[in-house]
């Protein structure tokens, strides 16, 4: 079978050119051209010259597609980097993590557990968890967590606040003082030691 493969390969080669620098060019019967360089790198150009595949000696492979996408596979890292003509770049890692880098500076990371993290060029970070929870972190560090059950949590340098679907709002200030406003209109305030200092119904 090895002999048959070799013969089949030789039948396909219509022309073979050996250059003084050690490069070898083969023109195949289907119109493809294969250039083999002295370092082991192979460059294959499709018959219509719209697709080029470069196979490097370290196992890396670079493909230039007819639609101008450039796909580069890093063998050591088992990572694929695709660059699109519009500026979008996509990285696919062996653990199924996918990173998208948009021309406007936005980054989107899809983790193997389907968590999606978006980093915007204005400094905002948003993370979408598979359970429906969304976490937003502003450039100034303020954090808003929206839970799938409708609860919201707000973290700032001054306070932490939890908002419940029934309208109840609990706030803990940085000095330890606690304030709870119930949907009924009742307000409770506790000092930093947890002592009730106001209970207004």
């Amino acid at each position: 079978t090895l002999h048959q493969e070799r013969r089949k390969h030789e039948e396909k080669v219509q022309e073979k050119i050996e250059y003084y620098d050690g490069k070898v060019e083969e023109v195949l019967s289907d119109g493809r051209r294969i250039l083999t360089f002295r370092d082991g790198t192979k460059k294959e150009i499709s018959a219509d010259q719209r697709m080029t595949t470069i196979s490097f000696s370290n196992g890396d492979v670079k493909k230039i597609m007819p639609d101008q996408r450039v796909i580069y596979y890093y063998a050591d890292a088992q990572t694929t980097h695709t660059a699109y003509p519009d500026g979008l770049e996509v990285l696919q890692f062996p653990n199924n993590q996918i990173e998208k880098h948009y021309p406007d500076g936005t980054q989107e990371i899809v983790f193997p557990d389907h968590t999606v993290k978006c980093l915007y060029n204005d400094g905002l970070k948003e993370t979408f968890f598979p359970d429906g929870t969304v976490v937003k972190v502003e450039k100034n560090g303020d954090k808003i967590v929206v839970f799938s059950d409708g609860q919201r949590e707000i973290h700032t340098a001054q306070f932490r606040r939890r908002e419940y679907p029934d309208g109840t709002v609990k706030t803990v200030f940085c000095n330890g003082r606690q304030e709870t406003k119930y949907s009924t209109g009742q307000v409770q305030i506790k000092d930093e030691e947890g002592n009730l200092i106001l209970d207004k119904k």
Side-chain angles (χ1 to χ4, degrees):
T1 49
L2 188 66
H3 180 66
Q4 286 175 328
E5 282 295 311
R6 194 178 295 127
R7 224 174 63 222
K8 203 160 72 178
H9 176 70
E10 284 167 6
E11 284 169 7
K12 284 184 184 178
V13 177
Q14 281 190 323
E15 188 182 357
K16 187 174 184 177
I17 306 158
E18 294 186 20
Y19 294 91
Y20 66 91
D21 61 1
K23 179 174 70 180
V24 175
E25 183 177 351
E26 295 174 314
V27 180
L28 306 183
S29 53
D30 64 5
R32 285 179 301 141
R33 285 174 49 226
I34 297 174
L35 292 132
T36 306
F37 298 88
R38 205 174 12 205
D39 68 358
T41 300
K42 274 187 192 260
K43 182 177 185 178
E44 185 179 315
I45 302 162
S46 64
D48 62 7
Q49 296 188 358
R50 293 182 65 220
M51 188 167 145
T52 304
T53 304
I54 303 164
S55 303
F56 298 95
S57 52
N58 65 356
D60 289 5
V61 178
K62 179 180 182 178
K63 288 184 179 184
I64 301 163
M65 308 301 281
D67 64 4
Q68 297 305 302
R69 273 180 306 146
V70 177
I71 303 167
Y72 196 105
Y73 175 74
Y74 296 90
D76 278 353
Q78 297 179 342
T79 299
T80 303
H81 175 250
T82 306
Y84 291 83
D86 65 2
L88 172 67
E89 293 187 34
V90 179
L91 290 145
Q92 291 176 285
F93 297 94
N95 67 351
N96 291 325
Q97 179 174 314
I98 297 169
E99 281 185 24
K100 293 179 182 177
H101 298 256
Y102 294 90
D104 69 0
T106 302
Q107 289 182 41
E108 178 184 289
I109 304 161
V110 181
F111 295 95
D113 69 354
H114 303 294
T115 297
V116 179
K117 187 174 200 170
C118 297
L119 311 166
Y120 301 98
N121 57 5
D122 63 0
L124 174 69
K125 294 176 189 159
E126 267 186 314
T127 307
F128 303 87
F129 292 93
D131 68 358
T133 302
V134 179
V135 177
K136 291 182 186 185
V137 181
E138 302 284 345
K139 189 177 183 176
N140 66 4
D142 289 0
K143 184 162 129 180
I144 299 168
V145 182
V146 181
F147 297 95
S148 54
D149 65 3
Q151 292 186 49
R152 284 167 49 101
E153 219 172 81
I154 299 160
H155 300 229
T156 71
Q158 293 78 35
F159 63 84
R160 289 177 72 152
R161 176 178 294 146
R162 186 90 178 218
E163 299 171 356
Y164 296 87
D166 70 357
T168 300
V169 177
K170 288 185 176 181
T171 307
V172 178
F173 295 91
C174 58
N175 63 4
R177 195 168 63 90
Q178 297 174 40
E179 181 181 282
T180 307
K181 293 179 182 174
Y182 295 95
S183 53
T184 59
Q186 179 184 355
V187 177
Q188 281 187 343
I189 298 175
K190 293 178 180 178
D191 66 16
E192 48 277 3
E193 268 92 54
N195 302 313
L196 188 65
I197 54 173
L198 178 75
D199 192 354
K200 195 174 93 187
K201 290 188 168 66

